[in-house]
Amino acid sequence: MVQKAPELSVVARVLVSGGAGYIGAHTVVALHEAGHDVVIVDDLRRTNQRVVDGIAKLVGTSLPLLRVDVADEAALLAGLASQAPFDVAVHFAAYKSVRESVDNPALYYANNVGGTATLLSVMRKLSVHRLVFSSSCTVYGQPDVLPVTELSPIVVAASPYGFTKQVCEQMICDEVASSSSEALTNGLSLRYFNPAGAHPSALIGEFPFGVPDNLVPFITQTAAGWRPRLSIFGDDYNTPDGTAVRDYLHVCDLADAHVAAVDWILAAEPGVEVVNLGMGHGVSVRQAIDAFETATGVTIPVVMAPRRPGDVEQVWSSCAKAAELLGWRATRSLSDMMSSAWAWQQTLGAQSLV
Ligand code: UFG
């Protein structure tokens, strides 16, 4: 049965793994603004000190930052023990490139699955019983019915990355099902659709690691001249303009969803839930490029390219459960995603950093 979100925000001590990453940094700021005590765990391996500095400027102080690898159990335990107790953990720390996961599956299993196993083990030792997990709509593959609800079937993963999300969700279910008093009492897996955009201050955003796979950073890097052109992967899909359709949502809306998730899990009865987080409608690749050009006045050189292996044709979310369970709904526009992503990109300079 679906439990209602509590009316009032509860101040909690929250451990955020990957809190200097793209979604993590925006969530850390939103949690702090909501009055929570935040401790960041991030080894900065795939982000940058400037994101940490941006967080500090936005919240007006340096939040505790443990520079440890979540997959290093001894270091994680020692670091977190010095900051304990915690009421809840929000676990972002993971790699996220589908392409890289196909090239190097072991890396993804070690980091994403290994890191989650380590975190769960350390949470047991520190008596942290509530976990909000960063999952993905990739668990649904190409659904037969749109919009995708949380009852849509989980399919065989199209990539090792996708499989790591499925495995981690299952690990959380298994922990909660354990009768051990040390285990998790509550797990909440948030299945994100396509996060985009940056904080309106342009002090934090997605820090590029290598050539981006994702559409919006590739658009902004092309606009900045870091890339000569954008390839549109496929224009022969069965969609209104032939290009693939996704459900883009603003990263600040996503951050707000995590605040709602933390508030919810603090008051929830023991158990596991999964919730989709999206805008609830589809946007094609061409529409996304048009939205960027309209929002910024910058033209993107594009070329047509073959379909990208592993891509689904179209996917967008049902928002009903997020509204009912968390009292959350995305409100920021596609135009806002594009203009804020561009503002952040411009802070990174004219020369490619990668
Ligand atoms: N695209 C292009 N050109 C590019 C980059 C992307 O045409 O240079 C297209 C893709 O082919 C796709 C759409 O833009 O049709 C969106 O691609 P993204 O890589 O931005 O997003 P995906 O939907 O492929 O990936 C997202 C998450 C993954 C997750 C996946 C599950 O980024 O973490 O959804 O479908 F696994």
Side-chain angles (χ1 to χ4, degrees):
M1 204 182 84
V2 167
Q3 301 155 27
K4 299 278 182 197
E7 302 250 314
L8 290 174
S9 179
V10 184
V11 174
R13 190 155 170 86
V14 187
L15 131 68
V16 182
S17 82
Y22 174 43
I23 305 169
H26 291 81
T27 298
V28 161
V29 170
L31 286 168
H32 179 86
E33 285 172 352
H36 296 300
D37 264 346
V38 179
V39 174
I40 300 170
V41 179
D42 199 308
D43 63 5
L44 309 189
R45 194 187 318 172
R46 293 208 172 179
T47 183
N48 188 276
Q49 182 62 38
R50 79 163 67 197
V51 177
V52 178
D53 296 342
I55 294 170
K57 278 193 192 128
L58 282 168
V59 305
T61 185
S62 287
L63 298 175
L65 166 65
L66 300 172
R67 284 193 67 166
V68 297
D69 177 355
V70 283
D72 179 344
E73 181 156 356
L76 186 66
L77 179 59
L80 287 177
S82 72
Q83 297 286 335
F86 295 99
D87 300 298
V88 55
V90 184
H91 179 36
F92 294 102
Y95 292 152
K96 62 163 198 171
S97 164
V98 171
R99 185 174 41 180
E100 185 183 37
S101 79
V102 172
D103 290 344
N104 194 348
L107 181 72
Y108 274 64
Y109 295 122
N111 190 55
N112 294 10
V113 178
T116 301
T118 304
L119 179 65
L120 287 169
S121 168
V122 169
M123 287 174 71
R124 278 178 171 242
K125 289 176 179 145
L126 297 178
S127 302
V128 189
H129 299 298
R130 295 165 197 270
L131 177 65
V132 176
F133 175 62
S134 170
S135 190
S136 165
C137 69
T138 194
V139 300
Y140 300 118
Q142 174 62 67
D144 293 333
V145 179
L146 293 169
V148 188
T149 75
E150 291 79 359
L151 298 175
S152 303
I154 303 298
V155 299
V156 174
S159 70
Y161 163 78
F163 191 49
T164 68
K165 292 298 176 190
Q166 294 178 346
V167 171
C168 290
E169 285 198 9
Q170 186 61 47
M171 286 161 68
I172 292 164
C173 290
D174 294 345
E175 270 291 308
V176 172
S178 161
S179 56
S180 164
S181 61
E182 292 182 335
L184 286 184
T185 57
N186 292 83
L188 173 59
S189 288
L190 300 177
R191 294 175 177 162
Y192 314 148
F193 282 65
N194 289 62
H199 193 273
S201 64
L203 287 168
I204 55 173
E206 183 166 16
F207 198 85
F209 180 81
V211 179
D213 285 335
N214 295 128
L215 180 63
V216 176
F218 210 104
I219 290 175
T220 62
Q221 292 190 8
T222 306
W226 290 19
R227 316 273 163 218
R229 68 195 69 81
L230 171 79
S231 296
I232 295 180
F233 297 135
D235 64 352
D236 57 351
Y237 285 108
N238 183 25
T239 60
D241 64 19
T243 65
V245 168
R246 297 288 185 274
D247 183 344
Y248 298 92
L249 81 159
H250 199 295
V251 68
C252 292
D253 277 328
L254 198 45
D256 291 344
H258 287 79
V259 176
V262 164
D263 290 348
W264 175 81
I265 207 168
L266 288 169
E269 295 298 321
V272 178
E273 286 285 1
V274 297
V275 175
N276 290 347
L277 298 178
M279 282 288 278
H281 63 259
V283 170
S284 74
V285 173
R286 277 199 190 281
Q287 286 173 323
I289 297 166
D290 288 349
F292 179 86
E293 293 184 337
T294 303
T296 65
V298 182
T299 302
I300 304 295
V302 299
V303 290
M304 297 315 307
R307 292 182 181 193
R308 188 170 68 176
D311 270 353
V312 300
E313 181 172 272
Q314 47 190 326
V315 62
W316 63 90
S317 177
S318 162
C319 303
K321 188 170 176 185
E324 192 181 353
L325 193 76
L326 306 178
W328 172 90
R329 183 170 286 280
T331 58
R332 295 163 177 91
S333 67
L334 184 63
S335 174
D336 199 345
M337 292 175 222
M338 296 302 178
S339 52
S340 60
W342 179 227
W344 162 252
Q345 173 71 50
Q346 288 172 292
T347 70
L348 301 178
Q351 292 296 311
S352 170
L353 300 173
V354 287

